[in-house]
Amino acid sequence: MKKLRPSYKPLKVMMINKDISASTLRSETGIAPSTYTKINKDEWVALDVIAKICAFLDCRIENVVEFVEEK
């Protein structure tokens, strides 16, 4: 079985396209700096965090995270 890991590349692209800074995303969603660091490192974060991001950006989950094969 393939082992998958999260990639937040879709979120990073969306933030660039919408000109949203990391500090704005954190303050508007209440995401802790340590959680945002996990996102930057493509580490696992709780689904409720992803839901907050989706609500703030008015987007679907696939616009925030994708799963890629771990190397």
Side-chain angles (χ1 to χ4, degrees):
M1 183 167 80
K2 293 180 186 178
K3 190 165 183 180
L4 301 176
R5 66 170 180 80
S7 169
Y8 299 95
K9 185 176 180 180
L11 171 62
K12 295 167 190 172
V13 170
M14 181 180 289
M15 288 174 64
I16 291 168
N17 290 339
K18 291 189 174 197
D19 198 27
I20 297 172
S21 68
S23 60
T24 298
L25 182 71
R26 285 195 325 262
S27 67
E28 293 293 324
T29 58
I31 296 172
S34 59
T35 302
Y36 192 77
T37 298
K38 286 183 175 186
I39 290 171
N40 274 334
K41 292 181 177 181
D42 289 331
E43 295 177 354
W44 294 97
V45 298
L47 190 55
D48 67 327
V49 171
I50 296 171
K52 288 177 187 177
I53 294 170
C54 289
F56 171 66
L57 295 174
D58 190 29
C59 68
R60 297 171 55 98
I61 191 169
E62 59 266 21
N63 299 119
V64 174
V65 63
E66 63 186 357
F67 294 98
V68 296
E69 191 172 345
E70 199 170 85
K71 299 182 183 198

